Amino acid sequence: QSVLTQPPSASGTPGQRVTISCSGSSSNIGSNYVYWYQQLPGTAPKLLIYRNNQRPSGVPDRFSGSKSGTSASLAISGLRSEDEADYYCAAWDDSLSGHVFGGGTKLTVL
Amino acid sequence: EVQLVESGGGLVQPGRSLRLSCAASGFTFDDYAMHWVRQAPGKGLEWVSGISWNSGSIGYADSVKGRFTISRDNAKNSLYLQMNSLRAEDTALYYCAKDMVGYQGAGGAFDIWGQGTMVTVSS
C-alpha cells in the first residue's frame, strides 16, 4: 500500500488530453513539493515535473503539473504513442522523514 | 555526459550481505545529495535511502532502517549502499539517483538515474 494514491491505469487516444491524479495527506503533498516521473518500458525513470509544476529542460510543454491541497495532477495534452509508460508521483513526507512514491499509473495510448 | 553506473548486484542468500556501488561522472558530485531507489519485479518505485552532499544528513526508509547503510566518497565520485541481513523482500532493481539539491530532505527531486543493478535474495 503506497503512501500516495494513484489510479492503476489510464488511457487515451492520440491527440487527446489525459490527466493522472495523485492523492496524499497533509504530511506529504499538503506541505511539500510534488514530483512526477515517467518510466518507459524497460528503462530507468525520468524526471518529468519538479516543484509541482516545473519542467526540466527537454521535457515537452505537453506535460504539466498542478497541486491543490493534498492532491496533485499530471496532465498530458496532445497524447502521442510514445507517451505510453508508467507514471509515478512523489513527495517528501514530514512524518516518515523520507521520500514517498505513488503506486504508479500505467498509461495506454489506444 | 552526465552518467550514473551502478554495480555490485547479484544473487545472495537470505541473511547475507551485499555492497552496491554507484560511479558518477559528468557533474560536480560533491554539490548534490544522492539516493538509492529500488523497484521489485513488476512493482512500483520505493525510496530506500538518501545522503546529503557532505554526508551530514542521511535518511532511510523504515523497511531498511538498521540493516542498510548509505555512504559516499566525494574524492572518488562514488555512492555506496551496504546491505546487511538481506531478506527475500529486498529483491529488486536498485537505482542510484542524483538529487537536484545538496540536501537529501524535502525540496529535492531525482533528476539523473542510473540503469540499476539487480539484487536477488534467495536460497
Side-chain angles (χ1 to χ4, degrees):
Chain A
Q1 192 79 347
S2 301
V3 174
L4 303 181
T5 301
Q6 297 179 236
S9 64
S11 63
T13 56
Q16 201 172 19
R17 181 178 187 271
V18 298
T19 61
I20 297 172
S21 62
C22 176
S23 176
S25 68
S26 58
S27 65
N28 42 65
I29 293 178
S31 52
N32 293 293
Y33 291 123
V34 177
Y35 309 92
W36 290 90
Y37 299 89
Q38 176 194 58
Q39 188 175 33
L40 297 170
T43 70
K46 170 189 170 184
L47 180 63
L48 210 55
I49 297 288
Y50 67 101
R51 295 190 178 179
N52 302 333
N53 56 18
Q54 302 299 302
R55 282 186 308 277
S57 76
V59 174
D61 59 7
R62 301 187 296 106
F63 295 90
S64 61
S66 64
K67 171 184 143 175
S68 178
T70 59
S71 294
S73 291
L74 173 71
I76 308 172
S77 61
L79 199 61
R80 304 173 70 162
S81 58
E82 55 260 41
D83 297 333
E84 195 160 279
D86 293 324
Y87 292 85
Y88 295 90
C89 60
W92 175 263
D93 191 293
D94 294 329
S95 297
L96 297 174
S97 293
H99 296 268
V100 292
F101 285 92
T105 297
K106 183 176 184 62
L107 175 64
T108 301
V109 181
L110 301 169
Chain B
E1 180 192 4
V2 177
Q3 197 173 14
L4 297 171
V5 179
E6 303 93 336
S7 61
L11 174 64
V12 61
Q13 293 179 327
R16 304 298 290 264
S17 300
L18 207 58
R19 189 195 196 207
L20 305 184
S21 299
C22 171
S25 60
F27 65 96
T28 306
F29 183 72
D30 55 11
D31 275 352
Y32 299 99
M34 296 293 297
H35 302 264
W36 290 97
V37 177
R38 69 185 181 184
Q39 186 169 34
K43 302 297 184 181
L45 302 172
E46 180 188 16
W47 175 78
V48 174
S49 181
I51 184 169
S52 63
W53 67 277
N54 63 352
S55 304
S57 175
I58 287 175
Y60 297 97
D62 287 344
S63 58
V64 306
K65 203 170 291 184
R67 300 187 299 122
F68 289 12
T69 301
I70 191 172
S71 62
R72 64 189 295 163
D73 185 335
N74 288 345
K76 294 183 178 179
N77 288 347
S78 293
L79 176 72
Y80 306 100
L81 185 68
Q82 177 66 42
M83 303 186 296
N84 299 331
S85 304
L86 282 161
R87 306 167 179 166
E89 53 266 36
D90 295 319
T91 294
L93 184 62
Y94 284 73
Y95 293 105
C96 166
K98 169 189 167 293
D99 206 311
M100 294 181 79
V101 298
Y103 177 63
Q104 67 87 20
F110 311 148
D111 63 342
I112 303 296
W113 296 65
Q115 287 306 301
T117 186
M118 186 68 201
V119 172
T120 303
V121 184
S122 174
S123 54

